[in-house]
């Protein structure tokens, strides 16, 4: 192990030394490059300063010329010969002392007057003439730099004599002096390179760079350096950032210095040659010094690490070889081995701590081994406790309120719990070995049960659920819901099936009560409208089949609303019960009596004549006249108007026959209450046509003049005590200002085909109102009643979708109420339309829930969200225990299907409190709020003045 540690440590230390040396070298090179950049900037500043100094000297010389003796007179005369004669005396001193290479005088007309100096200056001729024109024009001096065959600094200055411009003087000096000055100042070698398109064999230059060397310090040495540089870097641009070469054991840095700042069009460049040999040698020396130092340190570190690790690792090895003693529980030998491994160290280290930890571990393991033995004894005690718990579970099975029994592979009972013995009144011993199937009362629906039980016993299915009646020892029948589960058998004597039975007898009785309530009016125990219509339809079918006649008596109690208003609903309910008893006593046993709703009753008289029907009506009226009801000191008499319709003479279907009896009843009321009237076909046609034409005209007039408007009745969220949404109730405004309820005009709209237009109008007005409220930042939910004809309206879905899109309304703020009657006509079409509307985001409410047993079917078949419990169960809820039981059952059914519930006709605080206790979700009724127009509603502040108008 120590060799691995040494090897890895050496690699790490070597990597550190190498990295440190590389980083040090790179930092030195980086610092060197930065210093060279700074030095290059300094060189550029020095060259720029030298050129500026030349320019300033030339400017001073140009300003002195007019003041030289005789020059002002010669310049004023403007004659070249005079200027030549006068300036000849000064030319030689200027050339020798100042290094002036060219002087030219030009007149005001830009003509050359006199000239001295280098004949090569003619290469600047045309350019020089442009300079002269510019200075003559602006009378301002300029300092151009020009490099043609040689680089010269020029000054072109106006000549002023006594404040008068007499011409221009051009003075030129070579930049060679600047090159020599730079060498003296900086100590670095410098050269002046001039670019040429073609190289001259006579001139000194670098052909690959296409430059001519105009000046160069240390010519022989530096020319060789430049030629070597040109071989390595044929592209002159590479020198702009500086390059390094080695020549003759020396390191040189070559870098260009451009003159384009002084003259952007210049073809000349300075090249600076610096000897950096000493700096490079210092960098290399420091780098090797770091490497050698690091390697020596690495060697010393390895030797030191080896000496440190040798002893601890030997002790660690001894501990490792001693560890197997612990596995064999030789704890004492393990500890003595560790203590004899070496003497106590003066300075504690990790191996000493490991030694002590190993000793402590041996003590702990020895303690744990003792504890394991103790806990083995404890586990034996726990097994006894588990046996007791098993006995407890057995007792729990006996007291569980379900039948628990087991069957063997042959289907015979093996075990029965105590509750099962109590329920079936057989003991376990009496049933052991008896076939389970013998306990059941098998009807036609359970003929396959033995086969299914056999499938469970022989592991062809895991579970079986069914309901069956069980015959108890006292011959009583109990209805049991059974769940049979297959058990895993490990021996032939093990049970094969676990059967658990839940007693559903009371539940079935309640279900039977609900079924009875689905067909009966809970107040009078008579057939309700749905069941009565079914009976009437059966009677009409029998009459048509066997060719006999019958009659329908339609009763409407007189002044029933007055009794309700003056003595309360309890008095009205008492009167309804009394009337039901009197009518039952006045008709034949074969006659069928039902309450159609409110204060309306009807009687079917099979196999009777018109005279017989009239006689029954008279007897009923006579019986009712004997009835009296006294409430709070007020005495009310029972009275009714009876309409008589014969079948099949006045109608061969339920709708027509009820309509005929209804019309006859109204005839009886018009003739004076407390009488009867026999319908005739002539009255039927005349009355119906009159009514339809009358209401059709009213409906069309209301469409034309916008006489339809809404009432809104609030619906409260019971738990939050806040208004959740509003039911939209349609109203018609008559010409005399009377507000007409929908039951007056909707039947006519249905029969005349205007019902679709009414549906469309209601949807469009309600959606437009909701969208306006939403645009003002508020959110109100509306519940709208859909007619039965809406499910046959092919345009309804399109109009609904287009209206939502047109107004930008939120579909989730709308719910639609339907009745089971509306869905009954075409269930698939109803479900399809409802699914499509719910896809838009709307929801649905099933109205009049509970009045018919079929409501339980539709709550499962239709995509509804809320069920509205019929008001007949709510109105007397606080005083009627039967209604309370029924409402709880309806609530449980709705909740079981995941639906919310709404109670309508909530007219008292006591009723509201009961509904809250029962867990009903919403409440609607006069106690919550009466229907009101928009301008009187709770959301009136959210409306515009136009929306408030009816």
């Amino acid at each position: 192990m120590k060799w691995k540690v040494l090897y890895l440590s050496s690699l790490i230390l070597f990597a550190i030394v190498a990295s440190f040396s590389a980083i040090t070298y790179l930092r030195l090179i980086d610092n060197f490059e930065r210093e060279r950049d700074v030095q290059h900037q300094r060189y550029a500043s020095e060259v720029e300063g030298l050129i500026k100094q030349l320019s300033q000297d030339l400017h001073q010389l140009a300003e002195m010329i007019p003041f030289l003796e005789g020059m002002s007179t010669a310049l004023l005369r403007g004659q070249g010969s005079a200027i030549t004669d006068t300036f000849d005396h000064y030319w030689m001193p200027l050339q020798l002392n100042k290094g002036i290479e060219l002087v030219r005088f030009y007149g005001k007309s830009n003509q050359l007057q006199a000239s001295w100096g280098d004949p090569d200056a003619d290469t600047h001729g045309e350019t020089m003439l442009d300079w002269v024109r510019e200075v003559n024009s602006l009378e301002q001096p300029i300092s151009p730099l020009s490099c043609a065959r040689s680089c010269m600094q020029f000054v072109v200055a106006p000549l002023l004599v006594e404040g008068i411009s007499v011409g221009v003087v051009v003075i030129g000096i070579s930049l060679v002096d600047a090159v020599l000055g730079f060498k003296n100042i900086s100590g670095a070698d410098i050269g002046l390179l001039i670019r040429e398109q073609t190289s001259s064999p006579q001139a000194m230059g670098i052909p690959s760079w296409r430059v001519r060397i105009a000046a160069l310090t240390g010519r022989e040495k530096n020319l060789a350096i430049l030629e070597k540089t040109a071989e390595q870097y044929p592209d002159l641009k590479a020198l702009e950032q500086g390059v390094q070469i080695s020549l003759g054991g020396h390191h040189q840095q070559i870098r260009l210095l451009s003159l384009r700042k002084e003259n952007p069009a210049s073809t000349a460049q300075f090249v600076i040659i610096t000897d950096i040999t000493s700096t490079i040698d210092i960098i290399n020396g420091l780098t090797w010094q770091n490497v050698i130092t690091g390697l020596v340190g690495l060697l010393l570190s390895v030797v030191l690490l080896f000496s440190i690790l040798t002893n601890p690792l030997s002790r660690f090895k001894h501990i490792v070889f001693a560890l197997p003693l612990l596995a064999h529980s030789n704890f004492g030998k393990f500890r003595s081995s560790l203590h004899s491994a070496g003497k106590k160290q003066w300075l504690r280290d990790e191996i000493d701590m490991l030694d002590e930890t190993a000793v402590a571990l041996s003590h702990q393991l020895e303690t744990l081994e003792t504890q394991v033995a103790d806990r083995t004894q404890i586990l034996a005690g726990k097994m006894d406790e588990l046996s007791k718990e098993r006995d407890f579970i057995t007792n729990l099975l006996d007291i569980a309120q379900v039948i628990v029994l087991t069957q063997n592979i042959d289907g015979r009972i093996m075990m029965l719990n105590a509750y099962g013995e109590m329920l079936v009144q057989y003991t376990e011993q009496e049933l052991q070995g008896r076939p389970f199937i013998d306990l059941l009362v098998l009807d036609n629906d359970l003929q396959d049960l033995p086969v299914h039980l056999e499938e469970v016993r022989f592991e062809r299915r895991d579970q079986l659920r069914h309901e069956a009646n069980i015959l108890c020892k006292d011959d009583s029948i109990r209805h049991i819901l059974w769940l049979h589960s297959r058990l895993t058998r490990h021996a032939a004597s093990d049970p094969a099936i676990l059967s658990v039975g839940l007693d559903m007898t009371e539940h079935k009785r309640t279900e039977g009560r609900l079924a009875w309530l689905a067909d009966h009016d809970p107040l009078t125990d008579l057939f309700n409208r749905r069941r009565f219509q079914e009976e009437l339809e059966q009677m009409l079918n029998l009459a048509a089949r066997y060719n006999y006649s019958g009659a329908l008596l339609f009763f409407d109690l007189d002044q029933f609303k007055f009794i309700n208003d003056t003595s309360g609903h309890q008095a009205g309910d008492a009167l309804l019960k009394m009337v039901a008893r009197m009518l039952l006593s006045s008709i034949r046993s074969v006659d069928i009596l039902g309450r159609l709703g409110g204060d309306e009753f009807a009687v079917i008289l099979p196999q009777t004549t018109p005279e017989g029907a009239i006689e029954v009506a008279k007897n009923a009226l006579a019986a009712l006249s004997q009835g009296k009801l006294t409430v709070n000191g007020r005495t009310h008499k029972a009275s009714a108007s009876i309409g008589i319709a014969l079948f099949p003479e006045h109608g061969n279907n339920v709708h027509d026959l009820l309509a005929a009896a209804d019309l006859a009843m109204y005839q009886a009321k018009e003739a004076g209450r407390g009488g009867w009237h026999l319908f005739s076909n002539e009255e039927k046609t005349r009355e119906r046509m009159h009514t339809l034409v009358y209401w059709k005209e009213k409906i069309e007039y209301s469409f034309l003049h916008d006489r339809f408007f809404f009432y809104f009745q609030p619906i409260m969220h019971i738990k939050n005590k806040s208004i959740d949404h509003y039911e939209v109730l349609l109203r018609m405004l008559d010409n005399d200002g009377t507000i007409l309820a929908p039951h007056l005009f909707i039947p006519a709209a249905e029969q005349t085909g205007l019902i679709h237009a009414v549906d469309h109008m209601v949807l469009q007005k309600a959606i437009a109102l909701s969208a306006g409220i939403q645009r003002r930042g508020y959110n109100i939910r509306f519940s709208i009643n859909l007619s039965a004809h809406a499910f046959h309206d092919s345009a309804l879905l399109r109009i609904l979708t287009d209206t939502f899109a047109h107004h930008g309304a939120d579909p989730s703020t709308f719910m639609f109420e339907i009745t089971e009657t509306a869905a009954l006509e075409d269930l698939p079409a109803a479900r399809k339309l409802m699914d499509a509307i719910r896809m838009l985001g709307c929801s649905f409410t099933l109205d009049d829930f509970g009045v018919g047993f079929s409501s339980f079917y539709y709550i499962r078949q239709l995509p509804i969200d809320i069920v509205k419990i019929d008001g007949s169960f709510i109105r007397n809820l606080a005083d009627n225990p039967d209604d309370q039981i029924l409402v709880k059952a309806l609530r449980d059914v709705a909740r079981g299907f995941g639906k919310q519930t709404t109670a309508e006709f909530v007219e008292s605080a006591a009723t509201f409190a009961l509904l809250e206790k029962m867990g009903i979700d919403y409440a609607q009724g006069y106690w919550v709020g009466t229907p009101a127009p928009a301008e009187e509603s709770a959301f009136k502040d959210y409306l515009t003045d136009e929306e408030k108008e009816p």
Side-chain angles (χ1 to χ4, degrees), residues 593-614:
L593 174 62
R595 181 188 174 199
L596 304 186
D599 59 349
E600 295 177 346
F601 295 83
V603 178
I604 303 172
L605 304 177
Q607 298 184 4
T608 189
T609 62
E611 292 78 11
I614 293 171

Side-chain angles (χ1 to χ4, degrees), residues 3 237 258 319 324 355 379 441 552 568 620 668 680 693 728 852 889 897 940:
W3 296 111
K237 290 184 178 179
S258 178
I319 294 173
D355 194 353
L379 283 176
V441 179
L552 173 67
S680 66
V693 171
V728 179
F897 283 101
K940 60 184 177 182

Side-chain angles (χ1 to χ4, degrees), residues 495-569:
I497 296 179
L498 173 66
S499 300
V500 179
L502 178 64
D503 186 12
M504 302 289 290
T505 306
E506 295 302 323
H507 176 77
K508 284 297 180 180
R509 289 174 184 170
T510 303
E511 192 177 78
R513 171 65 176 167
L514 289 175
W516 183 87
L517 288 172
D519 291 334
H520 293 78
D521 171 41
L523 180 64
T524 61
D525 292 341
L526 300 177
F527 283 157
N528 57 19
R529 174 182 286 271
R530 188 191 67 83
R531 177 60 184 276
F532 184 83
Q533 288 180 346
E534 290 178 357
E535 294 291 333
L536 180 57
E537 185 174 5
Q538 291 179 9
M539 199 62 66
L540 291 174
N541 292 335
L542 290 174
R545 179 181 300 176
Y546 298 108
N547 194 26
Y548 67 75
S549 61
L552 173 67
L553 275 57
F554 192 94
F555 293 76
D556 187 87
L557 301 185
D558 298 329
Q559 297 183 334
F560 181 73
K561 186 177 185 302
F562 173 77
I563 298 173
N564 265 339
D565 293 342
T566 56
S567 299
H569 290 296

Side-chain angles (χ1 to χ4, degrees), residues 284-303:
N284 293 335
L286 290 174
T287 302
W288 278 110
Q289 182 180 350
N290 289 335
V291 171
I292 293 171
T293 303
L295 291 176
V296 171
L298 171 63
L299 181 60
L300 293 176
S301 299
V302 170
V303 172

Side-chain angles (χ1 to χ4, degrees), residues 59 63 107-108 110 131-142 156-161 163-169:
H59 273 289
E63 291 173 354
K108 285 293 292 179
N110 305 320
W131 298 340
V132 171
R133 293 191 188 101
E134 180 182 351
V135 173
N136 267 328
S137 175
L138 301 177
E139 294 186 359
Q140 293 290 334
I142 61 176
V156 184
L159 295 170
L160 299 177
V161 178
I164 299 172
S165 176
V166 296
V168 173
V169 62

Side-chain angles (χ1 to χ4, degrees), residues 609-627:
T609 62
E611 292 78 11
I614 293 171
E615 186 64 29
V616 172
K618 291 179 178 179
N619 293 336
L621 291 174
L624 291 176
S625 64
Q626 302 299 318

